[in-house]
Every structure is written in C-alpha cells, then in structure tokens.
Amino acid sequence: MTHKADFRIWRGDTDGGELRDFKVEVNEGEVVLDIIHRLQATQAPDLAVRWNCKAGKCGSCSAEINGRPRLLCMTRMSTFAPDEVVTVTPMRTFPVIRDLVTDVSFNYAKARQVPSFTPPAGLEPGEYRMQQVDVERSQEFRKCIECFLCQNTCHVIRDFEDNKAAFSGPRFLMRIAELDMHPLDVADRQKAAQEEHGLGLCNITKCCTDVCPEHIHITDNALIPMKERVADRKYDPLVWLGNKIRRR
Ligand code: SF4
Ligand code: F3S
Ligand code: FES
C-alpha cells in the first residue's frame, strides 16, 4: 500500500538552518532512509545524508527522528501513523556540516586517547588463553557499530558542551571497561578512566543503553562494573594489585 507522508527535515549548514516540509510517497516495507533517498531523487537533490550499508551495520546513518536518536535505515515507516508528521534532524551533540550530516570527529579524537590492547610482555601469539565468560564479555562490547547514538544521547555532553574535553562518553568508557576486564590486558586503565576520560561524570542514567541499536548493555555491563573497579582501587589499592596479579 502506498501513501503520501508528511516529512519535516532540517536543512542548513554551519551558518544555521530551518525545518522544511515535504510530502513524499511511502511504500509498504520502507524505512526512513528510503524516504530520504526518494526525497533526494524527486525534490531535494542536494539534501545531504550520510549512509553506507542500509543494513544497520555501518553506523553511518545516525540522526534524530521525532526527537529520538535512531538509525535512519533501521526505522521502519510502519512505526508511524500514516497521518503523523515525521521530523528528521541531525544529531544534536555534534556540529552540523550540512543538513543531516554532522561532524563526529570528537569521537575519533577520543578513540585515539585509549591505548590499544596490551598483553603481558613475552606472551607469544598462540599462548593466549581465556575463559569463555571473558570471551563473551568482550564479544558483547564488540558488537558496537560506532553509530555514536549513545554519545549523542548522553546528557553529560549533549547538554553541557564544556564537558566534552573532560568526558569521553559511553562508547569509549565501554572500550576502556572492556580492556580493563580483559584477563590478558596489563595496562593500568583505571586511573585514566577517572582522570582523563571522565568516568565520574557518568551518573548512570542509562539513556545511552536505551538508544543503542545493538542492544549492548552499556551501563550495566561496562560503566557500572568499571565504576566498581575504580572504587575498589580507590579505597583499597591492594584490591587493584591483587586483581592484576591474579590475572597472570
Ligand atoms: Fe552505537 Fe551502541 Fe556502539 Fe554506542 S555502543 S556507538 S549506541 S552501537
Ligand atoms: Fe551518560 Fe550513559 Fe552514563 S547516558 S550518564 S554515559 S549511563
Ligand atoms: Fe549503515 Fe544505516 S546505513 S547503519
């Protein structure tokens, strides 16, 4: 079944912009990204949108639909009533480049500040041994498609631009937690989590978890355990030392 839907799309660039109204054809089974592509093909050829896979796997098409952070390619038009106005705006936490495309380089800068996996000196490939439970923990975090919807949603930076320097956001605090809980990683991640990446600014509101398209339990499985590990260490350095020794 085909119908005409009312779309309201933010158009603009670094100098500012406005919401513009469009009426666009919608066919059964389509997602919001299909409608954006139809708009480009029929009414707004210069509308900027970032996308790659149209399968929820590349993390490129992040935006806000009726105010909720979502992937354009994974949001079915059947989510909305036929007479509902569908408003599409760029992610709010990052600077707009044009229309629906934002500059997410904040995230790349934060990623570079997390040292990579650091196995013990002398451990050769082939000597890595891990329990299944540790493998599964890492695998959950590694489902991340780097859509940055969690980063966009966390109020610590969404509502307080000045916090960006001191806070790396849920995606990268999760990466630090993954490595800190990895039985073969020997880098000291806990001090950096607190002092360089702003773990203490997270007040576990779980908004990041709510919007994750991969349904990763960011808060419960990464941020809260990381807070507990940092607290253990703060109040009892022997706990930290013991944890490190037991891992080897
Ligand atoms: Fe996206 Fe989830 Fe990864 Fe955050 S943790 S960047 S919401 S996939
Ligand atoms: Fe932000 Fe998620 Fe913590 S939304 S405050 S990082 S639980
Ligand atoms: Fe790849 Fe949407 S286009 S996640």
Side-chain angles (χ1 to χ4, degrees), residues 161-196:
E161 178 73 25
D162 290 352
N163 281 343
K164 278 187 175 167
F167 187 65
S168 295
R171 194 274 168 264
F172 299 104
L173 289 169
M174 177 177 86
R175 171 74 178 142
I176 293 165
E178 178 198 338
L179 290 166
D180 196 58
M181 291 188 269
H182 194 298
L184 294 175
D185 187 87
V186 294
D188 178 3
R189 312 232 171 228
Q190 297 176 8
K191 192 163 182 281
Q194 204 63 344
E195 293 176 7
E196 292 164 32

Side-chain angles (χ1 to χ4, degrees), residues 198-209:
L199 179 64
L201 290 171
C202 162
N203 52 358
I204 55 173
T205 54
K206 299 197 184 187
C207 315
C208 51
T209 303

Side-chain angles (χ1 to χ4, degrees), residues 152-164:
N152 173 53
T153 305
C154 177
H155 63 97
V156 174
I157 42 180
R158 186 178 176 97
D159 298 337
F160 303 96
E161 178 73 25
D162 290 352
N163 281 343
K164 278 187 175 167

Side-chain angles (χ1 to χ4, degrees), residues 33 50-62 71-74 145 147:
L33 186 60
R50 189 186 276 132
W51 71 285
N52 272 287
C53 69
K54 201 171 170 274
K57 286 296 160 212
C58 72
S60 307
C61 66
S62 303
L71 296 178
L72 296 174
C73 73
M74 296 303 283
I145 58 170
C147 64

Side-chain angles (χ1 to χ4, degrees), residues 88-117:
V88 187
T89 49
M91 285 193 284
R92 207 181 81 190
T93 300
F94 310 118
V96 165
I97 297 175
R98 196 156 68 84
D99 301 334
L100 302 177
V101 176
T102 50
D103 176 358
V104 292
S105 49
F106 162 81
N107 300 287
Y108 306 139
K110 294 296 183 187
R112 279 194 292 272
Q113 289 165 14
V114 181
S116 56
F117 171 62

Side-chain angles (χ1 to χ4, degrees), residues 108-152:
Y108 306 139
K110 294 296 183 187
R112 279 194 292 272
Q113 289 165 14
V114 181
S116 56
F117 171 62
T118 311
L123 194 68
E124 300 293 334
E127 294 175 357
Y128 289 25
R129 297 285 181 272
M130 286 171 72
Q131 297 201 13
Q132 187 62 25
V133 64
D134 293 318
V135 173
E136 280 164 10
R137 185 188 320 104
S138 284
Q139 276 177 341
E140 183 194 11
F141 302 144
R142 282 177 166 265
K143 286 193 301 181
C144 175
I145 58 170
E146 302 228 299
C147 64
F148 305 132
L149 287 175
C150 58
Q151 301 283 94
N152 173 53

